[in-house]
Amino acid sequence: METKTGYIKTKESKTLLMSFVILISVIAVVGVIGYFILAQDELMLQGEVECNEIRVSGKVPGRILELKVQEGDAVTQDQLLVLIDSPEVTAKGVQAMAAKNAALAVSKKAENGARTETIEAAKEQYERAKAAAEYATKSYNRTKNLFDKGVIAAQKFDEVEAQYKAALALEKAALSQYNMAKNGAQKEDKDAAQAQVARAQGAIMEINAYKDETALYAPIAGEIAEIFPKVGELVGTGSPIMSIVDLNDVWITFNVREDLLGTIKMGDILTATIPALGNKEIKLKVNHIKALGSYATWKATKLTSEYDTKTFEVKTVPVDKVKGLRPGMSAIVNYNSLKQATKTSK
Protein backbone atom coordinates (compact mmCIF):
# COMPACT_ATOMS: atom_id res chain seq x y z
CA MET A 1 0.00 0.00 0.00
CA GLU A 2 2.84 2.40 0.77
CA THR A 3 4.55 1.53 -2.45
CA LYS A 4 1.47 2.46 -4.46
CA THR A 5 1.17 5.78 -2.64
CA GLY A 6 4.81 6.66 -3.39
CA TYR A 7 4.30 5.82 -7.04
CA ILE A 8 1.35 8.19 -7.23
CA LYS A 9 3.34 11.04 -5.65
CA THR A 10 6.23 10.52 -8.09
CA LYS A 11 3.86 10.61 -11.06
CA GLU A 12 2.27 13.82 -9.80
CA SER A 13 5.70 15.40 -9.40
CA LYS A 14 6.65 14.55 -13.01
CA THR A 15 3.36 15.95 -14.30
CA LEU A 16 3.87 19.15 -12.36
CA LEU A 17 7.44 19.51 -13.66
CA MET A 18 6.39 18.94 -17.24
CA SER A 19 3.60 21.50 -16.91
CA PHE A 20 6.10 24.01 -15.55
CA VAL A 21 8.49 23.35 -18.46
CA ILE A 22 5.67 23.77 -20.98
CA LEU A 23 4.63 27.03 -19.33
CA ILE A 24 8.18 28.35 -19.44
CA SER A 25 8.47 27.36 -23.13
CA VAL A 26 5.23 29.08 -23.97
CA ILE A 27 6.37 32.23 -22.18
CA ALA A 28 9.69 32.13 -24.05
CA VAL A 29 8.01 31.68 -27.42
CA VAL A 30 5.58 34.51 -26.69
CA GLY A 31 8.49 36.69 -25.62
CA VAL A 32 10.45 35.98 -28.81
CA ILE A 33 7.40 36.64 -30.97
CA GLY A 34 6.69 39.85 -29.10
CA TYR A 35 10.28 40.98 -29.52
CA PHE A 36 10.15 40.57 -33.27
CA ILE A 37 6.72 42.15 -33.49
CA LEU A 38 7.53 45.13 -31.31
CA ALA A 39 11.12 45.54 -32.50
CA GLN A 40 11.64 48.53 -34.78
CA ASP A 41 12.30 47.56 -38.40
CA GLU A 42 15.46 48.84 -39.97
CA LEU A 43 14.74 51.86 -42.18
CA MET A 44 16.99 52.14 -45.20
CA LEU A 45 17.43 55.30 -47.30
CA GLN A 46 18.19 54.42 -50.90
CA GLY A 47 19.87 56.92 -53.19
CA GLU A 48 21.14 56.88 -56.74
CA VAL A 49 24.51 57.86 -58.16
CA GLU A 50 24.35 60.69 -60.70
CA CYS A 51 26.98 62.67 -62.56
CA ASN A 52 27.38 65.67 -64.85
CA GLU A 53 26.08 64.80 -68.32
CA ILE A 54 26.40 66.97 -71.43
CA ARG A 55 24.58 66.40 -74.70
CA VAL A 56 26.44 67.18 -77.91
CA SER A 57 24.34 68.72 -80.69
CA GLY A 58 24.93 70.83 -83.81
CA LYS A 59 23.43 74.04 -85.15
CA VAL A 60 22.98 72.87 -88.75
CA PRO A 61 20.76 70.12 -90.16
CA GLY A 62 22.43 67.38 -92.14
CA ARG A 63 23.27 63.71 -92.41
CA ILE A 64 25.65 61.88 -90.09
CA LEU A 65 28.73 61.36 -92.23
CA GLU A 66 31.07 59.69 -89.73
CA LEU A 67 31.16 58.84 -86.02
CA LYS A 68 34.68 59.11 -84.63
CA VAL A 69 33.86 57.48 -81.25
CA GLN A 70 31.76 54.65 -79.83
CA GLU A 71 29.71 54.27 -76.65
CA GLY A 72 31.98 53.69 -73.68
CA ASP A 73 34.99 55.45 -75.20
CA ALA A 74 36.94 57.85 -73.02
CA VAL A 75 37.39 61.22 -74.74
CA THR A 76 39.45 64.30 -74.05
CA GLN A 77 38.31 67.89 -74.32
CA ASP A 78 38.22 69.22 -77.92
CA GLN A 79 38.46 65.70 -79.38
CA LEU A 80 36.67 65.25 -82.73
CA LEU A 81 33.44 63.29 -82.21
CA VAL A 82 31.30 63.39 -85.35
CA LEU A 83 31.21 64.75 -88.91
CA ILE A 84 27.95 66.02 -90.47
CA ASP A 85 27.36 66.35 -94.20
CA SER A 86 25.32 69.47 -95.05
CA PRO A 87 25.11 70.23 -98.81
CA GLU A 88 22.93 73.26 -98.08
CA VAL A 89 25.76 74.92 -96.17
CA THR A 90 28.19 74.21 -99.01
CA ALA A 91 25.80 75.72 -101.58
CA LYS A 92 25.27 78.82 -99.47
CA GLY A 93 29.03 79.16 -99.16
CA VAL A 94 29.39 79.25 -102.96
CA GLN A 95 26.64 81.86 -103.19
CA ALA A 96 28.23 84.01 -100.51
CA MET A 97 31.64 83.88 -102.23
CA ALA A 98 30.11 84.91 -105.56
CA ALA A 99 28.31 87.82 -103.90
CA LYS A 100 31.58 88.92 -102.31
CA ASN A 101 33.44 88.86 -105.64
CA ALA A 102 30.70 90.92 -107.28
CA ALA A 103 30.76 93.45 -104.46
CA LEU A 104 34.56 93.71 -104.69
CA ALA A 105 34.32 94.41 -108.42
CA VAL A 106 31.79 97.20 -107.88
CA SER A 107 33.93 98.66 -105.10
CA LYS A 108 37.08 98.53 -107.23
CA LYS A 109 35.30 100.25 -110.10
CA ALA A 110 34.07 102.97 -107.76
CA GLU A 111 37.54 103.50 -106.32
CA ASN A 112 39.43 103.51 -109.64
CA GLY A 113 36.96 105.74 -111.47
CA ALA A 114 36.48 105.79 -115.27
CA ARG A 115 38.87 104.17 -117.72
CA THR A 116 41.68 106.23 -119.31
CA GLU A 117 40.01 106.09 -122.70
CA THR A 118 36.79 107.49 -121.25
CA ILE A 119 38.67 110.35 -119.59
CA GLU A 120 40.53 111.19 -122.83
CA ALA A 121 37.27 111.19 -124.79
CA ALA A 122 35.64 113.49 -122.23
CA LYS A 123 38.66 115.78 -122.39
CA GLU A 124 38.46 116.01 -126.19
CA GLN A 125 34.76 116.80 -126.02
CA TYR A 126 35.51 119.55 -123.53
CA GLU A 127 38.32 121.00 -125.69
CA ARG A 128 36.02 121.00 -128.72
CA ALA A 129 33.22 122.67 -126.77
CA LYS A 130 35.68 125.21 -125.35
CA ALA A 131 36.96 126.16 -128.81
CA ALA A 132 33.42 126.49 -130.08
CA ALA A 133 32.56 128.71 -127.11
CA GLU A 134 35.57 130.95 -127.75
CA TYR A 135 34.61 131.34 -131.40
CA ALA A 136 30.99 132.05 -130.46
CA THR A 137 32.17 134.68 -127.98
CA LYS A 138 34.18 136.53 -130.62
CA SER A 139 31.32 136.39 -133.10
CA TYR A 140 28.94 137.69 -130.50
CA ASN A 141 31.19 140.62 -129.58
CA ARG A 142 31.64 141.66 -133.23
CA THR A 143 27.95 141.29 -134.01
CA LYS A 144 27.00 143.28 -130.94
CA ASN A 145 29.23 146.18 -132.01
CA LEU A 146 27.68 146.20 -135.43
CA PHE A 147 24.19 145.98 -133.98
CA ASP A 148 24.88 148.84 -131.62
CA LYS A 149 25.95 150.96 -134.64
CA GLY A 150 22.80 149.94 -136.50
CA VAL A 151 24.67 148.18 -139.26
CA ILE A 152 22.88 144.80 -138.94
CA ALA A 153 19.32 143.90 -138.25
CA ALA A 154 18.05 142.70 -134.86
CA GLN A 155 17.16 139.31 -136.37
CA LYS A 156 20.80 138.64 -137.19
CA PHE A 157 21.98 139.74 -133.74
CA ASP A 158 19.45 137.46 -132.00
CA GLU A 159 20.68 134.46 -133.98
CA VAL A 160 24.31 135.12 -133.08
CA GLU A 161 23.41 135.68 -129.42
CA ALA A 162 21.53 132.36 -129.26
CA GLN A 163 24.47 130.53 -130.78
CA TYR A 164 26.78 132.22 -128.29
CA LYS A 165 24.70 131.11 -125.27
CA ALA A 166 24.37 127.57 -126.61
CA ALA A 167 28.12 127.31 -127.07
CA LEU A 168 28.72 128.46 -123.48
CA ALA A 169 26.22 125.85 -122.18
CA LEU A 170 27.88 123.09 -124.21
CA GLU A 171 31.27 124.08 -122.84
CA LYS A 172 29.98 123.97 -119.29
CA ALA A 173 28.36 120.53 -119.80
CA ALA A 174 31.50 119.12 -121.42
CA LEU A 175 33.61 120.40 -118.52
CA SER A 176 31.30 118.68 -116.04
CA GLN A 177 31.56 115.40 -117.95
CA TYR A 178 35.31 115.68 -118.07
CA ASN A 179 35.61 116.43 -114.34
CA MET A 180 33.28 113.54 -113.48
CA ALA A 181 35.32 111.11 -115.57
CA LYS A 182 38.56 112.41 -114.07
CA ASN A 183 37.42 112.41 -110.42
CA GLY A 184 35.62 109.05 -110.51
CA ALA A 185 32.52 108.05 -108.50
CA GLN A 186 31.05 110.17 -105.74
CA LYS A 187 31.83 109.50 -102.09
CA GLU A 188 28.32 108.13 -101.55
CA ASP A 189 28.80 105.64 -104.36
CA LYS A 190 32.11 104.52 -102.91
CA ASP A 191 30.57 104.13 -99.44
CA ALA A 192 27.70 102.09 -100.88
CA ALA A 193 30.15 99.82 -102.68
CA GLN A 194 32.16 99.32 -99.48
CA ALA A 195 28.96 98.49 -97.60
CA GLN A 196 28.15 95.78 -100.15
CA VAL A 197 31.61 94.29 -99.64
CA ALA A 198 31.16 94.30 -95.85
CA ARG A 199 27.74 92.66 -96.19
CA ALA A 200 29.15 89.92 -98.42
CA GLN A 201 32.02 89.39 -95.97
CA GLY A 202 29.53 89.01 -93.12
CA ALA A 203 27.62 86.38 -95.10
CA ILE A 204 30.84 84.44 -95.62
CA MET A 205 31.64 84.61 -91.89
CA GLU A 206 28.18 83.27 -91.13
CA ILE A 207 28.63 80.38 -93.57
CA ASN A 208 32.05 79.59 -92.09
CA ALA A 209 30.48 79.47 -88.64
CA TYR A 210 27.93 76.97 -89.93
CA LYS A 211 30.69 74.95 -91.56
CA ASP A 212 32.43 74.74 -88.20
CA GLU A 213 29.25 73.14 -86.82
CA THR A 214 29.56 70.24 -89.27
CA ALA A 215 32.50 68.94 -87.22
CA LEU A 216 31.60 68.56 -83.53
CA TYR A 217 34.18 68.32 -80.75
CA ALA A 218 33.98 67.21 -77.12
CA PRO A 219 33.21 70.18 -74.83
CA ILE A 220 34.56 68.29 -71.79
CA ALA A 221 36.67 65.26 -71.00
CA GLY A 222 34.63 62.23 -70.05
CA GLU A 223 33.05 59.05 -71.32
CA ILE A 224 30.61 58.58 -74.20
CA ALA A 225 27.44 57.41 -72.47
CA GLU A 226 25.08 57.14 -75.44
CA ILE A 227 25.00 57.80 -79.18
CA PHE A 228 21.54 58.48 -80.58
CA PRO A 229 21.65 58.51 -84.43
CA LYS A 230 23.40 56.07 -86.74
CA VAL A 231 25.72 56.89 -89.64
CA GLY A 232 23.63 58.06 -92.58
CA GLU A 233 20.67 59.28 -90.51
CA LEU A 234 19.39 62.84 -90.76
CA VAL A 235 19.62 65.17 -87.78
CA GLY A 236 17.90 68.51 -87.33
CA THR A 237 19.07 71.77 -85.85
CA GLY A 238 19.85 71.26 -82.17
CA SER A 239 19.13 67.51 -82.24
CA PRO A 240 21.22 65.65 -79.62
CA ILE A 241 23.75 63.36 -81.24
CA MET A 242 25.53 61.90 -78.22
CA SER A 243 25.98 62.44 -74.49
CA ILE A 244 29.19 62.65 -72.46
CA VAL A 245 29.35 61.93 -68.72
CA ASP A 246 32.01 63.36 -66.44
CA LEU A 247 32.87 60.58 -63.98
CA ASN A 248 34.92 63.04 -61.95
CA ASP A 249 31.81 65.10 -61.15
CA VAL A 250 29.68 62.55 -59.24
CA TRP A 251 27.00 62.98 -56.59
CA ILE A 252 24.36 60.81 -54.89
CA THR A 253 20.76 61.92 -54.42
CA PHE A 254 18.36 60.64 -51.73
CA ASN A 255 14.63 61.36 -51.57
CA VAL A 256 13.72 61.70 -47.88
CA ARG A 257 10.32 62.28 -46.27
CA GLU A 258 10.23 65.41 -44.15
CA ASP A 259 9.45 63.45 -40.96
CA LEU A 260 12.78 61.67 -41.44
CA LEU A 261 14.70 64.81 -42.34
CA GLY A 262 15.36 65.94 -38.79
CA THR A 263 18.51 63.84 -38.46
CA ILE A 264 20.06 65.14 -41.69
CA LYS A 265 21.63 68.61 -41.90
CA MET A 266 23.82 70.50 -44.31
CA GLY A 267 27.45 69.43 -43.96
CA ASP A 268 26.65 66.09 -42.26
CA ILE A 269 28.81 63.10 -43.10
CA LEU A 270 26.78 59.98 -43.92
CA THR A 271 28.03 56.40 -44.23
CA ALA A 272 26.59 54.57 -47.23
CA THR A 273 27.11 51.16 -48.77
CA ILE A 274 27.28 50.55 -52.52
CA PRO A 275 25.82 47.12 -53.39
CA ALA A 276 27.29 47.22 -56.91
CA LEU A 277 30.79 47.53 -55.40
CA GLY A 278 30.41 44.59 -53.02
CA ASN A 279 28.67 46.63 -50.30
CA LYS A 280 31.65 48.92 -50.08
CA GLU A 281 31.24 51.65 -47.46
CA ILE A 282 31.85 55.24 -48.50
CA LYS A 283 31.56 58.61 -46.78
CA LEU A 284 29.16 61.18 -48.19
CA LYS A 285 28.86 64.88 -47.34
CA VAL A 286 25.45 66.58 -47.50
CA ASN A 287 25.80 69.71 -49.64
CA HIS A 288 22.24 70.46 -50.83
CA ILE A 289 18.71 69.99 -49.48
CA LYS A 290 15.57 71.15 -51.25
CA ALA A 291 11.87 70.32 -51.29
CA LEU A 292 10.49 68.49 -54.30
CA GLY A 293 7.28 69.47 -56.05
CA SER A 294 3.76 68.55 -55.05
CA TYR A 295 4.00 65.39 -57.13
CA ALA A 296 6.30 63.96 -54.44
CA THR A 297 4.02 64.80 -51.48
CA TRP A 298 2.57 61.93 -49.46
CA LYS A 299 -1.12 62.64 -48.90
CA ALA A 300 -2.73 61.81 -45.55
CA THR A 301 -5.71 59.42 -45.58
CA LYS A 302 -7.05 60.23 -42.12
CA LEU A 303 -8.56 63.41 -40.82
CA THR A 304 -6.64 63.20 -37.54
CA SER A 305 -3.15 62.14 -36.42
CA GLU A 306 -1.82 62.34 -39.99
CA TYR A 307 -0.68 65.17 -42.23
CA ASP A 308 0.58 65.63 -45.77
CA THR A 309 4.29 64.84 -45.84
CA LYS A 310 6.59 66.49 -48.34
CA THR A 311 9.59 64.79 -49.89
CA PHE A 312 12.99 66.47 -49.83
CA GLU A 313 15.90 65.90 -52.20
CA VAL A 314 19.14 65.43 -50.28
CA LYS A 315 22.20 65.76 -52.47
CA THR A 316 25.53 64.37 -51.24
CA VAL A 317 29.03 64.13 -52.66
CA PRO A 318 31.69 61.52 -51.86
CA VAL A 319 34.27 62.76 -49.38
CA ASP A 320 36.96 60.79 -51.22
CA LYS A 321 37.07 59.66 -54.84
CA VAL A 322 35.51 56.21 -55.17
CA LYS A 323 36.94 54.01 -57.88
CA GLY A 324 34.32 52.30 -60.00
CA LEU A 325 31.43 54.53 -58.92
CA ARG A 326 29.14 54.99 -61.90
CA PRO A 327 25.81 56.68 -62.63
CA GLY A 328 22.76 54.56 -61.82
CA MET A 329 24.34 52.65 -58.92
CA SER A 330 22.39 52.50 -55.67
CA ALA A 331 23.64 53.83 -52.34
CA ILE A 332 22.12 52.59 -49.06
CA VAL A 333 22.13 54.53 -45.77
CA ASN A 334 20.90 52.89 -42.53
CA TYR A 335 18.54 55.50 -41.10
CA ASN A 336 18.38 53.83 -37.67
CA SER A 337 22.13 54.03 -37.32
CA LEU A 338 22.02 57.62 -38.49
CA LYS A 339 19.33 58.45 -35.91
CA GLN A 340 21.27 56.68 -33.16
CA ALA A 341 24.40 58.62 -34.07
CA THR A 342 22.44 61.87 -33.85
CA LYS A 343 21.19 60.98 -30.35
CA THR A 344 24.73 60.08 -29.26
CA SER A 345 26.11 63.39 -30.53
CA LYS A 346 23.49 65.25 -28.52
Side-chain angles (χ1 to χ4, degrees):
M1 189 69 179
E2 292 178 357
T3 304
K4 187 176 182 180
T5 301
Y7 173 75
I8 293 173
K9 288 183 178 180
T10 302
K11 188 176 182 179
E12 291 177 351
S13 299
K14 290 181 178 180
T15 303
L16 182 61
L17 178 61
M18 185 167 294
S19 299
F20 180 74
V21 171
I22 292 173
L23 178 62
I24 294 298
S25 300
V26 170
I27 293 173
V29 170
V30 171
V32 172
I33 294 175
Y35 171 79
F36 283 105
I37 292 176
L38 298 178
Q40 185 178 8
D41 294 334
E42 286 191 353
L43 180 59
M44 312 302 291
L45 301 180
Q46 180 175 347
E48 183 176 342
V49 179
E50 301 177 37
C51 69
N52 183 30
E53 181 176 354
I54 294 180
R55 291 194 171 188
V56 179
S57 58
K59 294 181 180 180
V60 297
R63 194 178 299 274
I64 299 298
L65 183 63
E66 185 178 358
L67 293 171
K68 295 292 187 179
V69 292
Q70 297 179 352
E71 293 180 352
D73 286 353
V75 297
T76 59
Q77 188 174 6
D78 297 328
Q79 179 178 336
L80 180 61
L81 302 177
V82 60
L83 296 176
I84 301 175
D85 180 27
S86 183
E88 294 82 2
V89 172
T90 303
K92 289 185 179 296
V94 175
Q95 295 174 8
M97 184 59 67
K100 179 184 178 182
N101 292 335
L104 286 173
V106 173
S107 176
K108 186 176 181 180
K109 180 179 179 180
E111 290 294 334
N112 294 338
R115 296 171 56 181
T116 305
E117 294 84 350
T118 304
I119 296 175
E120 291 296 330
K123 182 179 181 182
E124 290 177 0
Q125 290 290 339
Y126 168 66
E127 294 292 343
R128 189 180 298 113
K130 181 179 180 183
E134 291 176 352
Y135 174 77
T137 301
K138 293 178 180 179
S139 297
Y140 171 76
N141 292 331
R142 285 195 300 264
T143 304
K144 187 175 185 304
N145 291 330
L146 295 174
F147 175 74
D148 291 340
K149 295 177 180 179
V151 176
I152 61 175
Q155 177 74 22
K156 183 64 176 179
F157 174 73
D158 291 341
E159 292 176 358
V160 173
E161 184 180 23
Q163 294 174 358
Y164 163 69
K165 291 181 179 180
L168 291 181
L170 288 174
E171 180 190 15
K172 185 176 180 181
L175 179 61
S176 298
Q177 291 294 328
Y178 172 58
N179 289 334
M180 184 182 298
K182 184 173 60 176
N183 296 332
Q186 296 181 355
K187 181 179 182 301
E188 293 80 1
D189 295 333
K190 294 180 180 180
D191 292 342
Q194 288 294 332
Q196 290 182 8
V197 173
R199 180 180 179 182
Q201 185 64 40
I204 291 178
M205 293 175 63
E206 181 181 9
I207 293 301
N208 289 336
Y210 283 131
K211 284 184 178 180
D212 292 341
E213 290 296 323
T214 59
L216 303 181
Y217 298 84
I220 62 170
E223 182 179 297
I224 303 298
E226 189 174 2
I227 298 177
F228 304 107
K230 307 296 182 182
V231 174
E233 291 185 355
L234 290 172
V235 292
T237 302
S239 298
I241 297 176
M242 62 183 64
S243 61
I244 303 176
V245 293
D246 184 2
L247 298 180
N248 293 320
D249 186 7
V250 179
W251 65 88
I252 300 176
T253 302
F254 297 88
N255 293 329
V256 183
R257 288 202 323 262
E258 63 176 310
D259 56 335
L260 304 177
L261 195 63
T263 57
I264 301 176
K265 301 182 298 297
M266 290 288 295
D268 281 355
I269 303 297
L270 310 181
T271 300
T273 58
I274 309 297
L277 299 180
N279 291 325
K280 181 178 181 178
E281 288 192 352
I282 63 173
K283 297 294 184 181
L284 303 175
K285 182 177 181 180
V286 179
N287 68 345
H288 184 65
I289 300 175
K290 73 172 183 178
L292 296 178
S294 58
Y295 62 87
T297 300
W298 179 83
K299 299 294 184 181
T301 58
K302 297 181 181 180
L303 296 178
T304 59
S305 73
E306 289 185 356
Y307 59 92
D308 293 352
T309 307
K310 287 186 173 294
T311 301
F312 282 75
E313 180 184 79
V314 178
K315 183 177 177 181
T316 64
V317 294
V319 175
D320 300 312
K321 186 176 181 179
V322 181
K323 185 178 181 180
L325 196 63
R326 301 184 63 83
M329 289 185 177
S330 297
I332 308 298
V333 172
N334 190 321
Y335 179 79
N336 294 335
S337 300
L338 181 63
K339 189 174 181 180
Q340 185 63 35
T342 303
K343 289 181 178 180
T344 303
S345 63
K346 290 181 179 179

